[in-house]
Amino acid sequence: MKDCIFCNLELEPTQKLILRNEYCMFLQLKQAQQQGICLEGSGVIIPIVHRATPFDLTVDEWNATYALLLDVKNYLDEMYQPQGYNLGWNCGEIGGQHIFHSHLHVLPRYADEPLAGKGIRFMFKSEENKREQILNK
């Protein structure tokens, strides 16, 4: 995949490889390393082999993702001292996926955020996300 920024890390110059194992890597954008910003410390865990979504991961890749996630948490706890985390996969265009190489978002959360205490489902439950009713069934 010659245009994929996760297959070709040099395509995104602000992207930094932080941790890796045999099957996957943890990447952060340079701006996520700045203290006090929105999404401070955030990054993504990606499989080294191009996989479109997590549904395409092998068992070895799943296990390696879990193992790396534990290492990432230790790293983020030490570097950023968050008070919580959100983890998430965006799958498919409607699910918000913009880069079609599977990536697990690791989002440290902080007590001083305006949305502290609000989880992943918060935005989905909002009135702005209310689905249109099907009138002609």
Side-chain angles (χ1 to χ4, degrees):
M1 294 298 211
K2 64 180 183 168
D3 295 333
C4 177
I5 64 168
F6 294 151
C7 290
N8 304 285
L9 300 182
E10 69 280 358
L11 294 176
E12 176 50 68
T14 67
Q15 183 168 253
K16 183 177 178 186
L17 173 62
I18 304 296
L19 298 167
R20 72 175 291 149
N21 61 29
E22 183 179 358
Y23 292 97
C24 53
M25 300 181 277
F26 177 64
L27 306 174
Q28 278 184 326
L29 293 174
K30 185 176 180 182
Q31 55 266 36
Q33 297 173 336
Q34 297 174 15
Q35 186 175 7
I37 65 157
C38 182
L39 300 177
E40 176 184 337
S42 65
V44 292
I45 295 176
I46 64 159
I48 293 170
V49 174
H50 187 92
R51 307 280 187 223
T53 74
F55 300 109
D56 303 311
L57 297 177
T58 67
V59 171
D60 288 336
E61 289 165 336
W62 269 109
N63 292 335
T65 297
Y66 173 72
L68 189 58
L69 179 60
L70 297 179
D71 294 339
V72 166
K73 182 184 184 305
N74 289 334
Y75 169 80
L76 295 174
D77 286 348
E78 183 178 321
M79 293 296 294
Y80 301 98
Q81 298 85 44
Q83 291 79 52
Y85 286 91
N86 289 119
L87 305 173
W89 303 90
N90 297 325
C91 301
E93 187 175 339
I94 299 303
Q97 187 175 5
H98 301 286
I99 300 169
F100 292 91
H101 182 131
S102 179
H103 52 287
L104 172 62
H105 292 269
V106 181
L107 307 170
R109 299 292 305 275
Y110 302 91
D112 64 349
E113 295 174 28
L115 295 179
K118 305 292 187 205
I120 293 172
R121 291 177 38 123
F122 177 75
M123 71 175 184
F124 297 116
K125 296 189 299 185
S126 72
E127 281 299 313
E128 292 83 32
N129 197 43
K130 189 172 183 177
R131 294 176 66 196
E132 294 182 24
Q133 298 295 317
I134 299 174
L135 300 176
N136 300 322
K137 289 188 177 188

